[in-house]
Amino acid sequence: SIDPAINQKAKTAVNGLQKSIQNYFMEFTTERDKELVADFLISCSQQENVAIKSRRVYLIALTYLCRFVGASKSFDAITSKELSAFLNSMYKDQSQDPKQSWISTQRTMGLALLKFFKWLAYPSLTTQERRKLSKEQWPPVLRGFVLQRKKGALLQTPVTRKGIWDDKDVSVFLK
């Protein structure tokens, strides 16, 4: 960045992250976006003491969104259609992804973006106050915001059918 104040914020925001992840910060082309992301990450660290892994996820989600909409588009200008298109671009049908792993990816990215856009619209509110906002109070970019959920109880557990004991297994165990 040209502005030394933004550079300092960026260094503070990515402190502790892997160098390869820190480099994602350079993908934000506008000074405004660099400052927004730095302020958001710093705010998360100061207000909530989020873990480094969480800051990593937030930075990755914002970078991927930036790549998706085009580097010339600022976070302020992203529309709900663009955000939905980004989240829906992660979709894979059942034959490509039988365990529906794409849903976990979409939820991880989506929850990070939900948090960012609420913070962007209401930076003066506390984290708890932003969490309690009704959907009607969400900023326009989050209108229609929907994250998929995995279907079926079997998909919600790492246990496979082979891992479930039958009567023979139980009797061998009890002997």
Side-chain angles (χ1 to χ4, degrees), residues 20-77:
S20 60
I21 302 300
Q22 289 181 14
N23 290 337
Y24 281 17
F25 206 88
M26 305 323 304
E27 294 191 37
F28 304 119
T29 54
T30 69
E31 297 294 300
R32 167 103 173 113
D33 282 353
K34 288 177 185 175
E35 188 169 27
L36 282 175
V37 173
D39 287 343
F40 171 67
L41 294 175
I42 292 168
S43 169
C44 289
S45 295
Q46 291 175 348
Q47 291 181 2
E48 304 170 64
N49 196 26
V50 295
I52 289 175
K53 289 180 181 181
S54 297
R55 284 191 293 136
R56 177 184 180 274
V57 168
Y58 299 159
L59 182 57
I60 290 171
L62 291 165
T63 303
Y64 287 5
L65 176 62
C66 185
R67 288 177 186 171
F68 183 82
V69 299
S72 62
K73 188 141 195 178
S74 175
F75 289 119
D76 294 317

Side-chain angles (χ1 to χ4, degrees), residues 73-90:
K73 188 141 195 178
S74 175
F75 289 119
D76 294 317
I78 291 176
T79 66
S80 61
K81 283 185 181 181
E82 290 167 327
L83 182 60
S84 290
F86 170 67
L87 293 171
N88 291 334
S89 73
M90 297 173 197

Side-chain angles (χ1 to χ4, degrees), residues 96-166:
Q96 290 177 297
D97 186 5
K99 292 185 178 180
Q100 297 181 327
S101 299
W102 70 271
I103 293 175
S104 296
T105 303
Q106 184 202 51
R107 292 185 66 77
T108 299
M109 297 288 172
L111 291 172
L113 295 171
L114 176 70
K115 183 175 189 149
F116 172 75
F117 283 110
K118 281 183 177 180
W119 172 85
L120 185 59
Y122 301 104
S124 61
L125 295 181
T126 65
T127 305
Q128 292 77 16
E129 291 169 331
R130 282 193 293 274
R131 274 191 204 128
K132 292 178 183 176
L133 290 172
S134 67
K135 285 194 173 189
E136 292 78 33
Q137 294 173 301
W138 286 7
V141 68
L142 295 175
R143 299 283 151 76
F145 186 86
V146 177
L147 296 174
Q148 298 298 317
R149 292 189 180 272
K150 289 187 179 183
K151 294 179 179 82
L154 262 182
L155 294 172
Q156 295 177 3
T157 177
V159 178
T160 61
R161 288 209 182 272
K162 288 192 323 190
I164 299 174
W165 288 8
D166 58 20

